[in-house]
Amino acid sequence: MSAVSLAKLSFRLNRAAGVSSRLPGVILLTDEARLPDPLVAAAALPRGGAVILRHYDAPGRENLGRELMALCRQRGLALLIAGDWRLAWKLGAHGVHLPEWQLWRPPAVARKPGWLITAAAHSPSALVRAARLGVHGALLS
Protein backbone atom coordinates (compact mmCIF):
# COMPACT_ATOMS: atom_id res chain seq x y z
CA MET A 1 0.00 0.00 0.00
CA SER A 2 1.39 3.43 -0.90
CA ALA A 3 2.02 6.24 1.57
CA VAL A 4 -0.77 8.25 -0.07
CA SER A 5 -3.23 5.36 0.38
CA LEU A 6 -2.18 4.94 4.02
CA ALA A 7 -2.60 8.66 4.68
CA LYS A 8 -6.09 8.70 3.15
CA LEU A 9 -7.08 5.61 5.13
CA SER A 10 -5.84 7.08 8.42
CA PHE A 11 -7.77 10.32 7.86
CA ARG A 12 -10.90 8.35 6.94
CA LEU A 13 -10.60 6.19 10.08
CA ASN A 14 -10.11 9.25 12.28
CA ARG A 15 -13.16 10.98 10.79
CA ALA A 16 -15.27 7.82 11.21
CA ALA A 17 -14.22 7.66 14.87
CA GLY A 18 -15.13 11.31 15.36
CA VAL A 19 -11.52 12.29 15.93
CA SER A 20 -10.62 15.77 14.80
CA SER A 21 -6.88 15.89 14.90
CA ARG A 22 -4.01 17.87 13.52
CA LEU A 23 -1.99 14.68 13.34
CA PRO A 24 -0.63 13.87 9.91
CA GLY A 25 -1.84 10.68 8.26
CA VAL A 26 1.70 9.52 7.57
CA ILE A 27 4.74 10.17 9.75
CA LEU A 28 8.31 9.26 8.78
CA LEU A 29 10.71 8.71 11.67
CA THR A 30 14.33 9.16 10.74
CA ASP A 31 16.92 6.76 12.05
CA GLU A 32 20.70 7.01 11.69
CA ALA A 33 21.18 3.27 11.22
CA ARG A 34 18.17 2.35 9.09
CA LEU A 35 17.76 5.58 7.13
CA PRO A 36 21.01 7.55 7.13
CA ASP A 37 19.76 9.98 4.45
CA PRO A 38 16.03 10.56 4.98
CA LEU A 39 15.67 13.21 2.27
CA VAL A 40 14.62 10.77 -0.47
CA ALA A 41 12.03 9.07 1.76
CA ALA A 42 10.72 12.44 2.98
CA ALA A 43 10.34 13.66 -0.61
CA ALA A 44 8.09 10.66 -1.32
CA LEU A 45 5.61 11.52 1.46
CA PRO A 46 2.20 12.87 0.49
CA ARG A 47 1.35 16.51 1.22
CA GLY A 48 0.13 16.79 4.80
CA GLY A 49 2.54 14.11 6.06
CA ALA A 50 5.27 14.69 8.63
CA VAL A 51 8.88 13.88 9.34
CA ILE A 52 10.24 13.36 12.84
CA LEU A 53 13.97 14.05 12.84
CA ARG A 54 15.59 11.68 15.31
CA HIS A 55 19.24 11.19 14.26
CA TYR A 56 20.00 12.02 17.90
CA ASP A 57 23.77 11.72 17.91
CA ALA A 58 24.49 12.31 14.25
CA PRO A 59 27.16 14.85 13.46
CA GLY A 60 25.54 17.51 11.31
CA ARG A 61 22.07 16.98 12.81
CA GLU A 62 21.31 20.68 12.55
CA ASN A 63 22.33 20.79 8.89
CA LEU A 64 20.17 17.75 8.15
CA GLY A 65 17.34 19.51 9.96
CA ARG A 66 17.79 22.59 7.76
CA GLU A 67 17.68 20.45 4.61
CA LEU A 68 14.58 18.63 5.84
CA MET A 69 12.91 21.93 6.82
CA ALA A 70 13.44 23.30 3.30
CA LEU A 71 12.07 20.10 1.78
CA CYS A 72 9.08 20.06 4.14
CA ARG A 73 8.18 23.66 3.29
CA GLN A 74 8.41 22.87 -0.41
CA ARG A 75 6.35 19.66 -0.17
CA GLY A 76 3.71 20.73 2.38
CA LEU A 77 5.02 18.49 5.16
CA ALA A 78 5.46 19.10 8.87
CA LEU A 79 8.85 18.70 10.53
CA LEU A 80 9.12 17.73 14.19
CA ILE A 81 12.43 17.60 15.99
CA ALA A 82 12.84 14.74 18.43
CA GLY A 83 14.17 15.51 21.88
CA ASP A 84 15.42 19.03 21.23
CA TRP A 85 12.97 21.92 21.44
CA ARG A 86 15.80 24.45 21.04
CA LEU A 87 16.73 23.02 17.65
CA ALA A 88 13.05 22.89 16.69
CA TRP A 89 12.71 26.58 17.56
CA LYS A 90 15.94 27.48 15.74
CA LEU A 91 14.91 25.69 12.53
CA GLY A 92 11.34 26.99 12.54
CA ALA A 93 10.07 23.42 12.78
CA HIS A 94 6.39 22.62 13.16
CA GLY A 95 6.82 20.98 16.54
CA VAL A 96 8.66 18.55 18.74
CA HIS A 97 8.60 14.84 19.40
CA LEU A 98 9.33 13.68 22.94
CA PRO A 99 11.24 10.43 23.25
CA GLU A 100 9.78 8.30 26.03
CA TRP A 101 12.45 9.30 28.56
CA GLN A 102 11.36 12.93 28.21
CA LEU A 103 7.85 12.04 29.32
CA TRP A 104 9.21 11.54 32.83
CA ARG A 105 11.40 14.66 32.74
CA PRO A 106 9.78 16.93 30.16
CA PRO A 107 11.78 19.93 29.06
CA ALA A 108 10.68 23.19 30.63
CA VAL A 109 9.54 24.93 27.50
CA ALA A 110 6.68 27.25 26.77
CA ARG A 111 4.81 25.74 23.88
CA LYS A 112 5.13 27.72 20.74
CA PRO A 113 1.66 28.55 19.42
CA GLY A 114 0.69 26.13 16.68
CA TRP A 115 3.38 23.57 17.49
CA LEU A 116 2.48 19.92 17.11
CA ILE A 117 3.72 17.85 20.07
CA THR A 118 4.02 14.08 19.81
CA ALA A 119 5.59 11.50 22.09
CA ALA A 120 6.95 7.98 21.91
CA ALA A 121 5.28 5.44 24.18
CA HIS A 122 6.59 1.93 24.72
CA SER A 123 4.38 1.00 27.67
CA PRO A 124 0.90 1.70 29.04
CA SER A 125 2.35 3.95 31.75
CA ALA A 126 4.19 6.01 29.15
CA LEU A 127 0.98 6.41 27.17
CA VAL A 128 -0.84 7.63 30.29
CA ARG A 129 2.00 10.05 31.01
CA ALA A 130 1.87 11.40 27.44
CA ALA A 131 -1.87 11.99 27.78
CA ARG A 132 -1.36 13.82 31.08
CA LEU A 133 1.22 16.07 29.43
CA GLY A 134 -1.33 16.95 26.77
CA VAL A 135 0.59 15.86 23.69
CA HIS A 136 -1.35 15.84 20.45
CA GLY A 137 -0.50 12.23 19.74
CA ALA A 138 1.59 9.29 20.85
CA LEU A 139 3.47 6.92 18.61
CA LEU A 140 3.26 3.42 20.03
CA SER A 141 5.94 0.83 19.53
Side-chain angles (χ1 to χ4, degrees):
M1 183 175 277
S2 75
V4 173
S5 298
L6 287 171
K8 287 179 182 177
L9 178 59
S10 74
F11 287 128
R12 195 173 326 134
L13 289 170
N14 283 343
R15 275 194 301 277
V19 175
S20 61
S21 174
R22 298 179 24 209
L23 288 177
V26 174
I27 300 173
L28 170 70
L29 288 104
T30 74
D31 182 283
E32 288 177 72
R34 294 180 198 99
L35 189 62
D37 180 7
L39 293 167
V40 172
L45 292 175
R47 183 170 289 283
V51 177
I52 295 176
L53 174 61
R54 294 187 314 167
H55 278 69
Y56 294 108
D57 298 318
R61 184 180 196 224
E62 183 174 332
N63 288 335
L64 178 57
R66 287 187 196 292
E67 291 180 62
L68 280 168
M69 191 68 241
L71 177 71
C72 287
R73 283 187 181 121
Q74 182 181 56
R75 304 260 314 125
L77 305 170
L79 177 64
L80 283 71
I81 305 299
D84 189 345
W85 64 269
R86 287 181 181 95
L87 181 58
W89 194 280
K90 186 175 186 177
L91 296 176
H94 301 94
V96 294
H97 175 75
L98 304 175
E100 187 177 80
W101 68 267
Q102 281 187 333
L103 295 176
W104 310 111
R105 294 191 56 180
V109 57
R111 291 187 183 196
K112 185 175 180 181
W115 259 11
L116 179 62
I117 314 277
T118 63
H122 305 286
S123 67
S125 60
L127 188 57
V128 169
R129 183 74 180 145
R132 286 187 183 145
L133 289 175
V135 302
H136 296 104
L139 281 65
L140 309 175
S141 69

